[in-house]
Amino acid sequence: MNMQKEGKMKNKLQIALTALFGVSAFCFWLFVRPALIVEREALQLFLWNSDYFAGRLAVPGGFARYIGDFLVQYFMFETTGAAILAVVLSAVLWLFWILLRRSIPSVSEKILFPISLLPAIVLWYLMCDMDTSMTLPVAVLLTLLLMLLLSKNKNASLLGSLFLMLIGYWLVGPVILLVAVYHLRWLHQPFNKVLVAMESVAMALLLAVCMFVSSYFVPYSLENLVKGIDYRSIQCDKIGTLEMIEYDYLQRKLAWDKVLEKANREEPKAKACQHIIYLAKFYKNQISPEELKSSLYQPYKALTSATSAMMMSDLFFHMGFVNFSQRAIFEAMESASNFNKSGRALCRLTETAMITGQYEVALKYISILEETLFYRRWAQMMKELVMHPETIKDHPKYGPMQQIYKETDDELFI
């Protein structure tokens, strides 16, 4: 009875510690790094159609990427995004702890639980880097779930592991290698240790063969397949720095006071951030429209990343320079990591196409946005305007911008 009570108390303690970890992760993402959450959503586009699903499943790790993209669409809201990240990291922690207990039951749980924190903490750290995709923590989580399904019988577990190496590779990518590592748990059992080690090596070799063969069927290099197609950006440092992301987050929220407060604490290094400061000063009546316009000397030098291009597009749109806004957002779309599209960019392209009278182009963008969850309603509202262009002049925002576009010459910023 005492042992049962002690066991229940230990389980309650582990649950409490896991919950504490989850709450800490939630608070971190919501209050310390909310900009990273929102920016992730801005740099991808999840579509609710069969072609998008089939396209993701057509490459190794595609199912994990599909689930990751599905979750990231909810990152439009900081609270929801923080909650999702906290749940995923806590689930990785809990599952890894369960698997550790199964693998080495002779080791005290007081030692195992701190060890089980390591994968979740590493993923937490990696997710602070925008070049790390949501695909990676999802792939780890799915792999751990698959490992839980393995039999407690060694021979049955071996067959199941070989099957998972084949199917799991295509579902979650090279992180399925964890299954081969997990097979080493039989080293603690009365089996031939050399044979167990050889079986794990054979699984790793099977995975290597799968990656080599798949390189002939998918448009990715073997190097990318080994790293995981969407675990990280194929071309790193295209998204932008944390400074850019935070300024972009503040200007999207029209938090001009906070922009100026941040600038007073530390002068920004990025040229795009400096332009946003001028825009904030304009909205706080600290500079005139002429001073704002004169600050835009050689604005193309600010287009150094996807985030900075989005910032400059917003800046030009605020100032009424629609063509420059369109050009900048095209740059942002092309800079999205791993050939992703951007819901935010498509929204801006829809607006600029409608204002400039390119109604068929606007309808093309709208048809894509209608396949989304959170942009669908906005797209349908825009469709009504585009289908009845005579009503645009009565719109409080787009009407004046279209009128100004028609009556003024294009500006040239050099």
Side-chain angles (χ1 to χ4, degrees):
M1 290 295 292
N2 290 333
M3 292 181 62
Q4 289 181 348
K5 288 182 179 180
E6 185 179 348
K8 289 181 179 179
M9 288 183 64
K10 286 182 178 180
N11 285 333
K12 289 181 179 179
L13 178 61
Q14 313 301 351
I15 293 172
L17 290 174
T18 303
L20 179 61
F21 176 86
V23 171
S24 300
F26 175 78
C27 292
F28 174 83
W29 293 109
L30 184 59
F31 299 114
V32 181
R33 290 289 184 265
L36 295 183
I37 292 176
V38 176
E39 202 69 25
R40 286 185 183 280
E41 188 280 330
L43 293 170
Q44 75 141 62
L45 183 69
F46 182 86
L47 300 178
W48 290 83
N49 60 47
S50 57
D51 288 341
Y52 184 85
F53 179 68
R56 288 291 184 258
L57 290 189
V59 295
F63 183 70
R65 185 177 183 181
Y66 183 82
I67 299 299
D69 291 350
F70 171 82
L71 294 176
V72 170
Q73 71 178 324
Y74 295 95
F75 284 25
M76 181 179 287
F77 313 104
E78 298 98 316
T79 304
T80 308
I84 289 172
L85 279 170
V87 169
V88 170
L89 293 174
S90 299
V92 168
L93 186 162
W94 186 258
L95 291 173
F96 194 70
W97 177 61
I98 293 174
L99 292 169
L100 276 178
R101 285 198 305 171
R102 289 186 181 181
S103 302
I104 41 179
S106 59
V107 179
S108 171
E109 293 183 1
K110 293 181 180 180
I111 298 175
L112 291 182
F113 191 79
I115 295 175
S116 67
L117 285 167
L118 294 178
I121 291 175
V122 170
L123 289 173
W124 185 337
Y125 172 78
L126 291 175
M127 290 301 291
C128 290
D129 181 358
M130 283 294 295
D131 283 318
T132 302
S133 167
M134 189 65 185
T135 302
L136 179 58
V138 169
V140 172
L141 179 59
L142 292 176
T143 300
L144 295 178
L145 286 170
L146 291 173
M147 288 159 63
L148 280 178
L149 301 177
L150 292 174
S151 173
K152 295 181 179 180
N153 177 273
K154 180 184 176 298
N155 292 331
S157 176
L158 175 61
L159 292 175
S161 297
L162 292 171
F163 177 77
L164 287 183
M165 296 303 292
L166 293 170
I167 304 301
Y169 166 64
W170 204 265
L171 292 177
V172 303
V175 79
I176 199 67
L177 180 64
L178 290 173
V179 173
V181 176
Y182 184 54
H183 187 71
L184 294 174
R185 71 191 185 280
W186 300 109
L187 290 174
H188 300 278
Q189 302 293 331
F191 293 106
N192 188 323
K193 291 179 173 51
V194 175
L195 181 60
V196 169
M198 291 177 62
E199 290 168 348
S200 291
V201 171
M203 291 180 201
L205 291 175
L206 178 61
L207 176 60
V209 171
C210 289
M211 289 188 286
F212 180 76
V213 172
S214 65
S215 66
Y216 288 93
F217 297 95
V218 297
Y220 293 93
S221 68
L222 181 59
E223 180 184 0
N224 288 330
L225 292 172
V226 172
K227 292 179 179 179
I229 290 176
D230 195 56
Y231 290 175
R232 282 183 60 82
S233 298
I234 294 176
Q235 293 178 299
C236 293
D237 301 323
K238 289 181 64 178
I239 294 175
T241 63
L242 178 61
E243 177 189 74
M244 294 178 186
I245 292 169
E246 289 181 339
Y247 271 97
D248 185 38
Y249 174 74
L250 293 175
Q251 69 91 14
R252 288 182 70 185
K253 287 187 166 295
L254 308 181
W256 307 121
D257 287 325
K258 292 184 178 180
V259 168
L260 296 177
E261 289 174 9
K262 184 174 177 62
N264 289 332
R265 289 195 300 270
E266 182 179 359
E267 184 178 353
K269 299 177 182 178
K271 193 173 181 62
C273 299
Q274 296 170 5
H275 288 309
I276 294 301
I277 293 171
Y278 278 105
L279 182 63
K281 289 181 177 179
F282 166 73
Y283 276 114
K284 300 306 292 184
N285 297 317
Q286 295 182 14
I287 61 173
S288 66
E290 289 72 23
E291 289 175 305
L292 175 62
K293 183 177 175 181
S294 64
S295 69
L296 288 171
Y297 178 69
Q298 295 183 329
Y300 62 87
K301 289 187 176 181
L303 303 179
T304 58
S305 65
T307 301
S308 63
M310 287 183 174
M311 293 165 69
M312 294 305 294
S313 177
D314 286 352
L315 171 66
F316 283 124
F317 201 75
H318 278 284
M319 297 177 66
F321 299 120
V322 181
N323 280 342
F324 281 91
S325 177
Q326 186 179 62
R327 175 192 168 183
I329 206 65
F330 267 126
E331 295 288 340
M333 180 79 85
E334 292 303 313
S335 298
S337 61
N338 295 0
F339 311 107
N340 282 330
K341 296 301 179 184
S342 164
R344 175 182 174 186
L346 286 173
C347 286
R348 176 52 46 77
L349 288 171
T350 300
E351 292 176 317
T352 57
M354 183 183 68
I355 292 169
T356 56
Q358 303 172 73
Y359 300 124
E360 291 185 1
V361 176
L363 287 173
K364 179 185 72 173
Y365 297 136
I366 288 170
S367 66
I368 298 173
L369 292 170
E370 284 182 318
E371 299 287 342
T372 66
L373 178 61
F374 295 111
Y375 295 106
R376 178 178 174 81
R377 186 174 179 182
W378 182 88
Q380 291 173 339
M381 292 171 57
M382 296 296 290
K383 189 174 184 178
E384 286 295 316
L385 289 173
V386 174
M387 295 297 290
H388 304 90
E390 68 279 359
T391 63
I392 297 176
K393 66 179 185 297
D394 298 322
H395 193 279
K397 178 180 179 181
Y398 304 123
M401 293 187 73
Q402 189 178 69
Q403 189 66 26
I404 293 171
Y405 175 80
K406 290 179 179 179
E407 295 179 356
T408 57
D409 296 329
D410 288 341
E411 293 281 351
L412 178 61
F413 293 98
I414 60 174

